[in-house]
Amino acid sequence: MEANIKQVSAVLNPPAPHMVGDGFRVHNFFPKGYKLKMSPFFMLDYNSKIAFSARNEPRGVGVHPHRGFETVTIAYHGAVAHHDSAGNSGVIQPGDVQWMTAASGILHKEYHEEAFSKKGGPFQMVQLWVNLPAKDKMSKPKYQALCQRTLAKHQLANEAGLVEVIAGEYEGTKGSASTFTPMHVYNLRLNKNGKTLFSFPSAYNTAFVVIEGEIKVNDKEVAKTDQLVHFKNEGEQIEVEALTDSTVLVLSGEPINEPIAQYGPFLMNKPEEIQQAIADYNQGKFGYLEE
């Protein structure tokens, strides 16, 4: 068993926060905060729990473009409204997930939902950028609204808790989201003293974000609220024990071994594709969305 354990490479504190627009105070765990091997996950912005005061004018991020990847927004506290130039709109409440495939190009905006904005309160979110392989970067944009009540869930034995399977699969329970490359994205909700075991291929890049609580990994390392646990690319088994009631975002995916060219909101393979994205955006090819 010891030889097959996926060892922890580091338990990392959240980098200093910065504002995205006026609605999201985020810690960028990667790629800027830490240089972690996490493909197909290109970026992880973590809005740790903070209280926003009541306001009539919703805070947020105005209209901006994306091309070449997917944005995955997971809500833990608060509510976010989304609109995009493909005609999609929706609100994510705590436990909901919004999986937007920008692919060939989209404009979108994200704001605190109006009712939440007017009353204020605790706000906690994660946004991931999930890279797309070259062959899919220019595919048609799409949008998956994954609601908490319909998310695939796997109840753990001995009343340990449950695994919400957002993408991939866990113990035969298939995730709610469709993905372009193999990956597992879960919300693990463990009760105090609850334990479970994960098994991911050794080559998959794997990390946990402790959203709430305190966990022990492989009976050794302890990680607390707002910390990220990064794993080595060796071994497969990970044991997790909750030292208090805990919520953990679990990420594991097969790396996309292709060159990356990134500029602002564009994530492509070659610099000339970035130039093309900028030209297409300036020519209005990403559609139209009112501010």
Side-chain angles (χ1 to χ4, degrees):
M1 173 68 187
E2 182 70 32
N4 200 32
I5 287 178
K6 195 182 273 291
Q7 303 284 354
V8 170
S9 74
V11 177
L12 302 168
N13 289 320
H18 66 275
M19 292 301 293
V20 176
D22 64 356
F24 303 92
R25 191 200 68 162
V26 302
H27 310 269
N28 182 265
F29 272 110
F30 58 83
K32 289 188 176 153
Y34 298 98
K35 302 293 179 214
L36 303 178
K37 271 177 64 181
M38 277 305 297
S39 174
F41 310 102
F42 177 78
M43 187 198 80
L44 193 161
D45 267 350
Y46 171 52
N47 190 130
S48 59
K49 195 199 293 183
I50 57 164
F52 278 104
S53 57
R55 194 163 112 164
N56 283 331
E57 187 66 28
R59 301 171 174 89
V61 184
V63 176
H64 58 283
H66 288 304
R67 173 179 279 179
F69 63 101
E70 305 180 286
T71 65
V72 179
T73 309
I74 306 168
Y76 296 98
H77 290 279
V80 171
H82 156 94
H83 296 269
D84 68 41
S85 57
N88 301 302
S89 65
V91 173
I92 54 169
Q93 303 280 356
D96 296 346
V97 179
Q98 170 196 291
W99 198 296
M100 185 187 80
T101 306
S104 63
I106 207 165
L107 304 176
H108 81 148
K109 58 183 180 179
E110 302 155 287
Y111 286 91
H112 292 191
E113 184 267 335
E114 204 170 339
F116 169 77
S117 197
K118 283 182 173 162
K119 75 172 190 291
F123 189 84
Q124 187 178 25
M125 303 267 158
V126 165
Q127 187 169 92
L128 295 165
W129 286 14
V130 178
N131 194 14
L132 292 173
K135 67 181 180 58
D136 297 313
K137 281 191 181 292
M138 293 301 286
S139 57
K140 192 179 171 189
K142 69 174 186 173
Y143 180 77
Q144 301 176 76
L146 310 175
C147 186
Q148 164 68 26
R149 68 176 182 275
T150 57
L151 265 183
K153 296 178 180 72
H154 185 97
Q155 295 290 336
L156 298 169
N158 306 317
E159 298 185 353
L162 63 84
V163 179
E164 294 172 357
V165 189
I166 298 166
E169 65 94 32
Y170 176 76
E171 298 289 345
T173 300
K174 288 201 165 17
S176 301
S178 68
T179 66
F180 286 80
T181 59
M183 70 189 72
H184 302 287
V185 179
Y186 314 144
N187 271 326
L188 168 64
R189 301 188 188 270
L190 273 185
N191 300 320
K192 184 180 178 180
N193 300 324
K195 283 185 182 182
T196 192
L197 199 64
F198 293 115
S199 182
F200 301 122
S202 57
Y204 278 32
N205 292 322
T206 303
F208 294 172
V209 181
V210 184
I211 303 295
E212 199 79 53
E214 187 173 350
I215 60 170
K216 187 185 272 190
V217 181
N218 297 333
D219 212 24
K220 281 196 288 198
E221 284 86 3
V222 171
K224 300 178 179 181
T225 303
D226 300 340
Q227 290 185 317
L228 181 142
V229 185
H230 187 247
F231 292 87
K232 296 179 182 176
N233 292 96
E234 53 192 55
E236 297 179 349
Q237 304 283 330
I238 303 169
E239 185 189 72
V240 190
E241 178 186 359
L243 304 179
T244 63
D245 289 355
S246 298
T247 298
V248 181
L249 175 63
V250 176
L251 304 171
S252 188
E254 182 179 82
I256 298 171
N257 293 315
E258 294 177 352
I260 283 178
Q262 186 247 336
Y263 176 79
F266 307 123
L267 184 55
M268 304 302 288
N269 298 101
K270 301 172 186 165
E272 51 268 37
E273 292 168 337
I274 294 289
Q275 296 305 319
Q276 188 62 54
I278 295 167
D280 289 350
Y281 168 64
N282 287 334
Q283 289 164 27
K285 291 184 180 175
F286 283 38
Y288 174 77
L289 186 62
E290 201 171 309
E291 279 287 357

